Every structure is written in structure tokens, then in C-alpha cells.
């Protein structure tokens, strides 16, 4: 299904009709892709939707076209504390490079399992930084003010992936629970 204030189901032939649009800029999420699927391209009347977003135009004959790929990358590994012990149930987040920060679809998240292991799938090719925090509000990583101090201290692991890559990283969880100014 496709989501943006509403949704449309895709027919067997790959087409969909979306009747309810609000005026103004629109963001789209694609759901229901398989384990390695990601949105490779999206176009609306010649506009690159992924890079620029789009504003639906009433009465326009423009169509919204998506190109999907089943060859997304995977980033996996273990999150540990400063003593090298696995950390259970914390967010591990792939944050896109600075020029793609407004691309909600590029952020990828996963919680560690009972062994501190994470497996992030459906990663689009590109440059990222990999982070994990012992305490963080869901989605805080999309706030530039939240992420900036961690970037400045170079606490993220740099990650570059191409299609079908499977990369492995061991990362140290950033301690935020005792940090001044962080929300508990």
C-alpha cells in the first residue's frame, strides 16, 4: 500500500488510483516490499519525487510512477556497550548523508535482539552513518538538532552501500541516558 494522508492498493498490473489528495507538498511511503526491496525512483510529471517531493495538481494528466528494486543492501552486526557486552533492545539507525536528510524513506531502523544483533534490510544505495543509543525517542534521529552533536563527535560509523551489498559492523552504543539535555 502507498501512504500519504491516505493510501492506494496496487493492482496486479502495477497500476493504482489515488483519489484523495490534499493541496500542498506530499510525501509518500511505500510499504509491503519484500526483505530486499526499496524504492529506486519516483517521478511525477517529470519531477524527481524522491529528491524534490511533489505537489499534486488537480486536473493534471501527470502520473506518479515508481521504480522498485528487489536488490537492496543489508547492514548487520552487533551493538555493544563500552565493555564490549551486547546491548539488548536498543535502536540501531542508518542516517542518510546530509544532502539526503529530508528523505524519510532512506532512514532505516532496527532494534537489537536478545544477543545485541541487528539486521537492517531494504537499504537503498548511498552514504549513511550508523548509530545506536541506549535511550532515544523513536524518530529523534531525523531532528538535525538531535543528530548534530553526535556527528560533530564522529560517533557514527560511516557506511556506503551499493545494491545487494551485505555489510557487517560492530558498533558501540552511545550512552545518552545520563547525558545532560537529553530527554529521558
Amino acid at each position: 500500500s502507498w501512504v500519504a494522508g491516505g493510501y492506494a492498493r496496487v493492482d496486479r498490473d502495477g497500476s493504482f488510483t489515488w483519489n484523495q489528495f490534499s493541496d500542498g507538498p506530499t510525501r509518500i511511503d511505500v510499504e509491503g516490499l519484500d526483505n530486499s526491496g526499496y524504492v529506486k525512483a519516483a517521478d511525477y510529471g517529470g519531477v524527481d519525487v524522491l529528491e524534490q517531493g511533489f505537489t499534486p495538481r488537480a486536473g493534471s494528466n501527470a502520473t506518479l510512477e515508481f521504480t522498485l528494486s528487489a536488490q537492496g543492501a543489508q547492514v548487520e552486526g552487533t551493538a555493544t556497550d563500552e565493555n564490549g557486552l551486547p546491548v539488548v533492545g536498543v535502536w540501531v539507525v542508518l542516517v542518510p548523508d546530509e544532502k539526503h536528510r529530508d528523505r524519510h524513506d532512506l532512514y532505516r531502523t532496527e532494534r537489537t535482539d536478545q544477543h545485541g544483533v541487528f539486521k537492517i534490510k531494504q537499504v537503498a544505495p548511498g552514504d549513511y552513518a550508523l548509530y545506536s543509543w541506549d535511550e532515544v525517542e523513536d524518530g529523534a534521529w531525523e531532528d538535525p538538532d538531535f543528530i548534530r552533536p553526535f556527528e560533530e563527535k564522529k560517533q557514527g560509523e560511516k557506511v556506503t552501500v551499493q545494491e545487494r551489498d551485505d555489510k557487517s559492523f560492530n558498533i558501540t552504543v552511545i550512552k545518552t541516558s545520563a547525558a545532560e539535555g537529553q530527554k529521558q
Side-chain angles (χ1 to χ4, degrees):
S1 59
W2 312 77
V3 181
Y7 69 93
R9 294 214 178 271
V10 179
D11 293 332
R12 287 178 184 260
D13 66 359
S15 67
F16 61 93
T17 303
W18 211 344
N19 293 319
Q20 297 177 332
F21 269 111
S22 58
D23 292 336
T26 301
R27 183 168 73 189
I28 295 177
D29 289 326
V30 178
E31 297 179 356
L33 298 176
D34 69 16
N35 281 343
S36 59
Y38 74 96
V39 179
K40 190 168 188 170
D43 178 274
Y44 179 73
V47 174
D48 182 341
V49 171
L50 297 180
E51 291 297 329
Q52 302 173 37
F54 79 109
T55 302
R57 299 183 297 273
S60 168
N61 288 328
T63 58
L64 183 58
E65 296 183 15
F66 289 90
T67 303
L68 306 179
S69 172
Q71 299 181 19
Q74 176 172 289
V75 176
E76 58 188 323
T78 305
T80 59
D81 64 17
E82 62 274 8
N83 298 315
L85 300 172
V87 182
V88 177
V90 293
W91 284 114
V92 178
V93 183
L94 269 178
V95 176
D97 63 340
E98 196 166 354
K99 66 182 175 182
H100 294 105
R101 288 286 161 76
D102 57 349
R103 291 267 313 269
H104 176 76
D105 62 300
L106 291 179
Y107 290 82
R108 285 284 174 263
T109 62
E110 188 64 49
R111 282 195 184 270
T112 57
D113 68 10
Q114 70 270 23
H115 305 292
V117 172
F118 62 91
K119 205 172 268 192
I120 302 173
K121 300 179 179 181
Q122 300 177 310
V123 181
D127 298 318
Y128 300 85
L130 186 65
Y131 292 94
S132 184
W133 298 272
D134 64 348
E135 285 189 19
V136 64
E137 288 184 23
D138 188 358
W141 41 82
E142 291 192 42
D143 178 352
D145 292 331
F146 173 81
I147 203 76
R148 189 174 297 113
F150 303 108
E151 280 183 310
E152 289 171 356
K153 294 177 187 171
K154 301 189 184 320
Q155 290 178 293
E157 180 79 39
K158 295 292 181 196
V159 177
T160 299
V161 293
Q162 304 300 325
E163 284 194 334
R164 292 181 297 184
D165 276 353
D166 187 347
K167 295 201 171 180
S168 185
F169 296 89
N170 292 325
I171 62 169
T172 302
V173 175
I174 300 167
K175 193 152 185 60
T176 55
S177 55
E180 190 174 292
Q182 298 295 340
K183 292 181 180 176
Q184 297 281 330

